[in-house]
Amino acid sequence: MSFAVHGGAGTVKEDRGQIRYLERAAEIGIELTRKNDPVNAVVEALAYLEETGAFNAGKGSVQDSEGRVSMDAGIMDGKTMRVGAVGAVTCSSPIRAALSVMLNTQHSLIVGSAITGIMKGNGCDTIGAVAATPDGWFAAAASTGGIRGKAPGRVGDSAIAGAGFYAMNGYGAAALTGIGEQNMSLLTAFRAVNMMKEKSSLEALKDSFSYIRTVLGRVNQGGIAIDSRLRIGIYHTEPQMPACAINGERRLCGMSFGGGILL
C-alpha cells in the first residue's frame, strides 16, 4: 500500500512544524489505507492538516483582496470515479464538506454558502493527498485557501477534478499544488494520471509540468502521485514543497526534493 501527502509548493517557508504535521497526517492516511479505505485515508489526513493552521488550508487559509477567507477542496474515488468538491466555502473542514457532497448528493461540485445544508455535523499552502491499496484502489484529494489577495469568489483547481486532483483505478492518482489557473486550463492532474498506465509517477509529473511550460511559457507547480505499480512520485518546480510518503516499509519526509523522488 502507498500513501503520500504534501503541504504546498512555493518559496522558502518558515518552519511552522510542517514536517511534524505531515508525518502525522501520513500515519493517519496509511492506517486507513491498510484498512482498505483509501477515500477516508486522504480525507482524514487532510482534515488533520486543515485543523493545524500551519498550511494554506482550513484554519491557516490566506485572505482574499477584501480580507476574507474562502476555501476550496475536492476528492475523487478511483474505483467509482465519483467526485465531491466545494468552492468558495467558509466551513471549518472543506475536505470533509467535499466528501459530504460526494456521499450525500448527486452532484460533484457545490460552491458558497449552499454547502451548509449538506454538511452533517462537520464544520468547514494548498494541501493534497493520494492513496493506493495493494489491489490498486486509488484516491486523491486536495484542499486550499487559494491565492493570497485573490478576487472574492475565485475558485481554484483544488475544487476541479482533473485539474488539481485525479484518481482512476488501473492508472493512478495525483494531487497538485501551484498556480491553479495553469492546471485548470490544461487539466494537469488528468494528464499526469493518464500517463501513469505506462510511465512512472515521477516521469508523469515531470512531463505534465514540462507541458505547462511549453504551452504557457512558465510553470509554478508541485505534486505527489502514485502510479499503476504503486510507486510514489514527488516533484516540484518551486524551491520547496514539504511532503511525506509511505510505501510499504519505506518512508520519506522532507521540505524539498530537488530533481524529484520515486519511492
Side-chain angles (χ1 to χ4, degrees):
M1 70 216 45
S2 304
F3 185 90
V5 60
H6 74 70
T11 56
V12 176
K13 302 171 182 290
E14 63 175 305
D15 183 7
R16 293 180 291 171
Q18 288 101 331
I19 291 298
R20 175 166 52 88
Y21 293 132
L22 288 166
E23 286 177 334
R24 177 59 187 144
E27 290 170 357
I28 291 169
I30 199 66
E31 183 61 30
L32 286 167
T33 305
R34 286 194 185 103
K35 295 178 180 178
N36 203 43
D37 194 357
V39 172
N40 274 309
V42 293
V43 169
E44 291 307 312
L46 295 194
Y48 167 76
L49 294 181
E50 289 174 339
E51 182 67 20
T52 67
F55 303 90
N56 179 19
K59 288 185 176 180
S61 295
V62 298
Q63 296 179 342
D64 64 20
S65 61
E66 295 183 352
R68 298 171 181 161
V69 171
S70 65
M71 299 163 286
D72 311 323
I75 179 172
M76 186 166 186
D77 181 343
K79 178 188 287 187
T80 65
M81 302 304 289
R82 292 190 66 187
V83 172
V86 294
V89 298
T90 58
C91 54
S92 62
S93 180
I95 192 60
R96 286 187 175 137
L99 181 63
S100 287
V101 171
M102 188 175 80
L103 297 180
N104 301 320
T105 80
Q106 296 179 330
H107 309 303
S108 294
L109 171 63
I110 293 178
V111 300
S113 59
I115 192 62
T116 57
I118 294 167
M119 294 296 290
K120 296 188 175 182
N122 294 321
C124 199
D125 319 49
T126 300
I127 55 177
V130 288
T133 64
D135 62 350
W137 181 2
F138 291 90
S143 180
T144 187
I147 299 172
R148 187 183 301 275
K150 66 187 178 183
R154 182 261 190 186
V155 174
D157 64 327
S158 292
I160 308 299
F165 64 97
Y166 199 75
M168 180 166 29
N169 283 15
Y171 287 78
L176 308 182
T177 172
I179 302 300
E181 281 71 15
Q182 295 176 356
N183 294 331
M184 288 188 284
S185 64
L186 298 176
L187 292 178
T188 311
F190 171 79
R191 182 180 299 276
V193 170
N194 194 51
M195 290 180 183
M196 288 190 280
K197 185 70 172 179
E198 304 296 337
K199 295 186 175 185
S200 75
S201 49
L202 179 58
E203 290 174 315
L205 289 172
K206 285 185 173 182
D207 288 356
S208 297
F209 295 167
S210 178
Y211 182 74
I212 293 175
R213 188 185 300 279
T214 298
V215 175
L216 301 180
R218 64 189 180 95
V219 58
N220 309 88
Q221 292 294 323
I224 52 176
I226 305 175
D227 60 37
S228 59
R229 292 172 58 184
L230 307 188
R231 298 170 295 186
I232 298 172
I234 305 174
Y235 183 65
H236 52 90
T237 65
E238 303 306 283
Q240 286 188 339
M241 187 187 75
C244 281
I246 302 174
N247 190 342
E249 298 302 316
R250 294 174 293 169
R251 296 183 177 226
L252 178 66
C253 295
M255 290 294 290
S256 178
F257 295 88
I261 294 291
L262 186 66
L263 183 66

